[in-house]
Amino acid sequence: MNTFDDREAAFEAKFAHDEETKFKAEARANKKLGLWAADLLGKSGSDAESYAMTVISADFEEAGHDDVIRKVVADLGNKSDEATIRAKRRESLAAAKEELAGDS
């Protein structure tokens, strides 16, 4: 293998790692958001965990996180507004990225 092939392989490996980390951060952020919403809905324990999993699953409906926001907005009704939910999602994503950075 020559230097060009080595560099190409390294870039591909870095891209794959970055994408995996991004996926993990998004899933972790959605779980955090789901647990926060579950608390507002009065859920705890396994019920809260189950609800958080439905929030994670909602992210597979379309690209981006608007599908997650729509689900949580609909589920919470008048318990929270969209702006607060979006802010909580951003906060959750920042915390998830920080946790993942600490794990490595």
Side-chain angles (χ1 to χ4, degrees):
M1 216 187 267
N2 63 34
T3 303
F4 181 76
D5 291 336
D6 291 343
R7 288 184 68 203
E8 182 180 19
F11 282 125
E12 288 174 359
K14 182 182 181 333
F15 178 79
H17 177 266
D18 291 349
E19 288 299 306
E20 180 182 359
T21 301
K22 181 180 172 186
F23 177 80
K24 287 179 181 179
E26 293 286 339
R28 193 175 285 203
N30 290 336
K31 182 175 183 180
K32 288 176 176 299
L33 179 66
L35 291 173
W36 171 80
D39 185 53
L40 290 178
L41 292 169
K43 298 178 185 288
S44 61
S46 63
D47 287 341
E49 288 288 331
S50 293
Y51 177 76
M53 294 306 291
T54 68
V55 173
I56 292 170
S57 297
D59 196 24
F60 298 116
E61 292 176 14
E62 63 184 47
H65 59 268
D66 285 337
D67 43 359
V68 171
I69 300 298
R70 273 194 306 276
K71 178 192 180 9
V72 175
V73 166
D75 291 349
L76 289 179
N78 64 356
K79 291 180 174 35
S80 187
D81 59 60
E82 184 174 342
T84 302
I85 294 167
R86 285 186 182 279
K88 188 64 178 178
R89 172 85 179 31
R90 284 190 300 274
E91 177 185 313
S92 297
L93 183 58
K97 287 179 178 178
E98 195 172 296
E99 289 171 7
L100 286 171
D103 288 350
S104 41

